[in-house]
Amino acid sequence: RPAASVNFITAHDGFTLLDLVSYDAKHNEANLEDNADGTNDNRSWNCGIEGPTDDPSILELRSRLQRALLATLLTFSGHETCTANDGLAAVDAAANLQPDVIFMDIGLPVLNGYEAARRIRELQCDKKPVLVALTGWAQDADRRRSESAGFDAHLVKPVDDRVLGKLLVDLRDGNARENAKGLMAADFPA
């Protein structure tokens, strides 16, 4: 068990995880306080370009950093973690590690999340993981497609920490698969 803990990285209602890897300076516009709240002393890094970009190398680096930060948070919360860069690597990791839960983006390179989920469901493993789509794709059609591919839950980024926390508690208590069906941020009113 870790000797120290990380229990907070960034907030869904202000400086998001994507902001953390996209801006060097404070960029807190989501809470409608004209960037006047909080401190100017942050530890963010823009990966070489301030703000949104279409540069594939910057987007890949930002994605890698976000995976590492989420893995760090989960590790310091007492969970073993592994990350994968693409859908094919996720299928291989699922076969080799047989995890309890997999958080997977839909828009993965090499093999998209839908196909990766299908392949993971076809694996001949002793245990079947709880599959959670963690994505920016929020339409009803996206949710239906996730369910059809074998996902147990479809969470839309940025994910409310209460939703993620409930899912992890349910996993610990053995109720994750039953309670994950249809889980979304709308289940937790502000």
Side-chain angles (χ1 to χ4, degrees):
R1 185 136 180 104
S5 69
V6 174
N7 56 21
F8 181 81
I9 294 176
T10 187
H12 71 279
D13 64 345
F15 201 71
T16 68
L17 189 57
L18 179 59
D19 289 340
L20 186 66
V21 298
S22 300
Y23 296 95
D24 275 350
K26 181 173 69 169
H27 180 81
N28 193 0
E29 298 171 358
N31 63 7
L32 305 176
E33 295 182 16
D34 295 322
N35 208 32
D37 64 319
T39 177
N40 291 325
D41 180 30
N42 70 47
R43 303 289 192 256
S44 61
W45 178 49
N46 66 18
C47 299
I49 295 177
E50 189 77 1
T53 182
D54 292 329
D55 184 313
S57 63
I58 299 295
L59 293 173
E60 195 283 324
L61 177 57
R62 288 176 178 176
S63 180
R64 193 169 12 143
L65 288 172
Q66 289 177 85
R67 283 192 309 275
L69 288 164
L70 184 56
T72 299
L73 184 62
L74 291 171
T75 298
F76 276 95
S77 297
H79 303 279
E80 292 181 36
T81 62
C82 172
T83 63
N85 306 353
D86 60 63
L88 194 55
V91 174
D92 289 342
N96 293 323
L97 301 173
Q98 297 188 31
D100 295 317
V101 66
I102 297 172
F103 294 100
M104 186 165 27
D105 200 344
I106 300 294
L108 293 171
V110 182
L111 187 69
N112 71 43
Y114 297 125
E115 185 56 32
R118 282 186 194 88
R119 291 187 188 186
I120 289 169
R121 287 293 180 226
E122 292 170 359
L123 292 173
Q124 301 300 314
C125 296
D126 293 335
K127 62 181 177 180
K128 298 294 182 189
V130 175
L131 285 176
V132 180
L134 188 61
T135 180
W137 299 3
Q139 302 299 316
D140 286 339
D142 301 320
R143 293 178 191 283
R144 287 190 300 273
R145 191 169 175 201
S146 288
E147 186 174 2
S148 175
F151 282 100
D152 296 298
H154 183 104
L155 303 181
V156 178
K157 296 185 264 185
V159 175
D160 186 313
D161 59 344
R162 295 170 296 177
V163 175
L164 184 58
K166 180 180 181 343
L167 188 60
L168 292 172
V169 166
D170 286 344
L171 179 66
R172 181 198 65 212
D173 295 344
N175 303 319
R177 187 169 316 285
E178 297 80 26
N179 295 342
K181 287 292 183 194
L183 186 64
M184 63 184 97
D187 297 333
F188 295 84

